[in-house]
Amino acid sequence: MCNNKTAQDTCVLVTGGAGFIGSHTVVELLQDGYEVVVVDDLSNSSEKVFDRIDTIVGDDAAERLTFVRADVADKDAMEAVFDTFDIDAVIHFAGFKAVGESVQKPIEYYSNNIGNTLALVDVMRAHDCKSLIFSSSATVYGDPDSLPLTEDSPKKPATNPYGWTKWMIEEILRSITVADPAWNVVLLRYFNPIGAHASGLMGEDPKGIPNNLLPYVAQVAVGRRDAVHVFGNDYDTPDGTGVRDYIHVVDLARGHVAALAWMRDKAGCEVFNLGTGRGTSVLQIIKAFSAACGRDLPYVIEPRRAGDVTANYADCTKARELLGWEAEFGIEEMCRDSWNWQSHNPYGYEG
Ligand code: UD1
């Protein structure tokens, strides 16, 4: 990315920009003055999110947003995007993300997630656009030896193909920066993104039965499901249930904008954890969501889920010191905003 550009003359391509984290990031980018091109095939998202984005950012900022419906692996379509727009940097979210499904469909997961990344960097190289932020995951730390996790904590074998795709794409991108020092890659390792936009206009909208805790809890709260299934209460944690570092999706989105500003005059490959540094148990989440929605949510204790770790939470010192970024919101705000979204959109964007 050119060093002397400001947000006002920087064009960012956001792949998967119609998805949960992507759409919140697009809002923050537009509000910061960036020009944004979203490429999304809508395979796991709704075009309706763009009306919501327009409402949140207002007409003037919305004019700086373009949506192209395409698969990132479709090189002709991507060539056309790079020919049409003067893209300075890419934030790459597009990918399949259901852990359980990845175990059933490894070919689809490896081919889609890794294939689309390779296609993307090939087109970027051809157009001399070499600044990339990749959507990675704390899943690359596997079952940690010690907490909190710093960026220097070792990567551990993944427990499913989805996790391996994040693991491998990190290595692929790192290799690219070694081969060509003009590349500028930031790997953002997300902890557990939850919450929704405070407006209630955007949030998580999983298709089918949610795999992740928060969307499941939210659907119990709104009456779509009977009770939360708590996967194990015999972990070595204060209340026996799994502990995670939940982060508000708006904080996470702002982490991308901070990384984009920071990487302007950099090259190479840098990794950042994006979390809050605080661990919260499953039962604490159910309690916090119950307070947000005003009734005690029912739950049943089930056996542990295969592949789950006991606890993980981030050390976010590096992001604070280098990016000047820190998570602002706590569990209360995450549950409040998630409930606001779910109660106003009980069936998501299509409801
Ligand atoms: C999961 C993925 C991780 C991925 C992340 C994306 C697994 C093993 N890991 O993280 O690779 O990057 O989603 O967001 O799937 N829980 C329940 N009941 C539920 C659902 C979850 O008790 O219905 C518990 C889990 O046991 C865990 C916690 O809630 O302790 C969080 O689970 P989840 O939201 O699925 O996230 P992770 O497993 O941390």
Side-chain angles (χ1 to χ4, degrees):
M1 194 166 26
C2 189
N3 297 357
N4 53 10
K5 284 198 168 188
T6 61
Q8 277 62 33
D9 47 23
T10 301
C11 179
V12 186
L13 168 63
V14 182
T15 75
F20 175 45
I21 306 171
S23 57
H24 286 81
T25 302
V26 168
V27 164
E28 297 300 318
L29 288 169
L30 292 170
Q31 289 180 331
D32 252 41
Y34 287 93
E35 189 186 338
V36 178
V37 179
V38 168
V39 170
D40 198 304
D41 65 359
L42 303 179
S43 60
N44 192 29
S45 53
S46 166
E47 193 167 359
K48 291 188 179 152
V49 74
F50 294 109
D51 294 336
R52 307 291 179 93
I53 291 174
D54 290 358
T55 305
I56 292 168
V57 302
D59 290 344
D60 287 350
E63 279 185 15
R64 285 185 271 104
L65 171 63
T66 307
F67 168 54
V68 177
R69 183 172 183 171
D71 181 345
V72 177
D74 178 345
K75 277 202 179 171
D76 291 341
M78 294 304 283
E79 287 285 352
V81 167
F82 278 84
D83 285 340
T84 309
F85 300 94
D86 189 11
I87 309 281
D88 296 287
V90 178
I91 307 181
H92 180 38
F93 293 103
F96 293 161
K97 62 172 188 179
V99 171
E101 186 185 59
S102 79
V103 177
Q104 305 304 319
K105 298 181 173 176
I107 299 174
E108 282 79 2
Y109 269 69
Y110 287 118
S111 125
N112 183 68
N113 291 8
I114 296 179
N116 79 11
T117 305
L118 288 172
L120 173 67
V121 290
D122 200 22
V123 175
M124 286 176 69
R125 176 177 57 178
H127 291 264
D128 202 30
C129 172
K130 295 182 174 177
S131 294
L132 176 67
I133 295 178
F134 175 61
S135 188
S136 190
S137 166
T139 198
V140 302
Y141 294 118
D143 202 355
D145 297 326
S146 63
L147 293 170
L149 288 155
T150 74
E151 290 79 358
D152 293 329
S153 299
K155 285 172 79 168
K156 295 282 194 72
T159 53
N160 54 75
Y162 158 80
W164 278 120
T165 67
K166 295 292 180 195
W167 206 107
M168 290 181 202
I169 292 167
E170 283 198 353
E171 299 309 311
I172 291 168
L173 297 175
R174 197 186 300 280
S175 304
I176 291 171
T177 62
V178 170
D180 177 357
W183 277 87
N184 186 5
V185 170
V186 171
L187 309 174
L188 297 180
R189 292 181 180 156
Y190 312 151
F191 281 68
N192 288 55
I194 62 168
H197 197 267
S199 62
L201 291 170
M202 296 196 320
E204 196 166 8
D205 182 20
K207 298 212 181 358
I209 301 171
N211 303 297
N212 297 115
L213 179 63
L214 253 290
Y216 202 101
V217 170
Q219 290 191 7
V220 172
V222 85
R224 282 175 67 180
R225 314 215 173 259
D226 291 340
V228 183
H229 299 267
V230 177
F231 297 146
N233 67 348
D234 57 351
Y235 284 107
D236 184 16
T237 60
D239 65 20
T241 63
V243 167
R244 296 291 182 273
D245 185 344
Y246 296 94
I247 173 170
H248 197 296
V249 65
V250 171
D251 275 330
L252 189 64
R254 289 176 182 161
H256 292 73
V257 182
L260 194 60
W262 174 82
M263 73 196 287
R264 223 171 257 291
D265 54 354
K266 305 288 185 305
C269 183
E270 206 66 61
V271 185
F272 294 97
N273 285 339
L274 295 184
T276 64
R278 286 181 296 278
T280 304
S281 75
V282 177
L283 292 182
Q284 286 174 318
I285 287 285
I286 295 173
K287 198 168 166 209
F289 209 101
S290 298
C293 73
R295 76 180 172 98
D296 283 340
L297 297 176
Y299 64 88
V300 285
I301 306 293
E302 304 276 359
R304 293 180 179 195
R305 181 172 67 177
D308 273 353
V309 301
T310 301
N312 74 3
Y313 50 92
D315 180 324
C316 302
T317 311
K318 186 174 172 187
R320 188 176 65 240
E321 289 183 349
L322 296 190
L323 305 182
W325 170 91
E326 201 168 9
E328 192 184 321
F329 303 113
I331 288 294
E332 201 181 309
E333 287 106 339
M334 299 182 214
C335 292
R336 176 200 67 199
D337 293 339
S338 179
W339 171 240
N340 188 34
W341 154 252
Q342 192 74 50
S343 55
H344 288 97
N345 306 268
Y347 289 88
Y349 291 107
E350 302 298 334

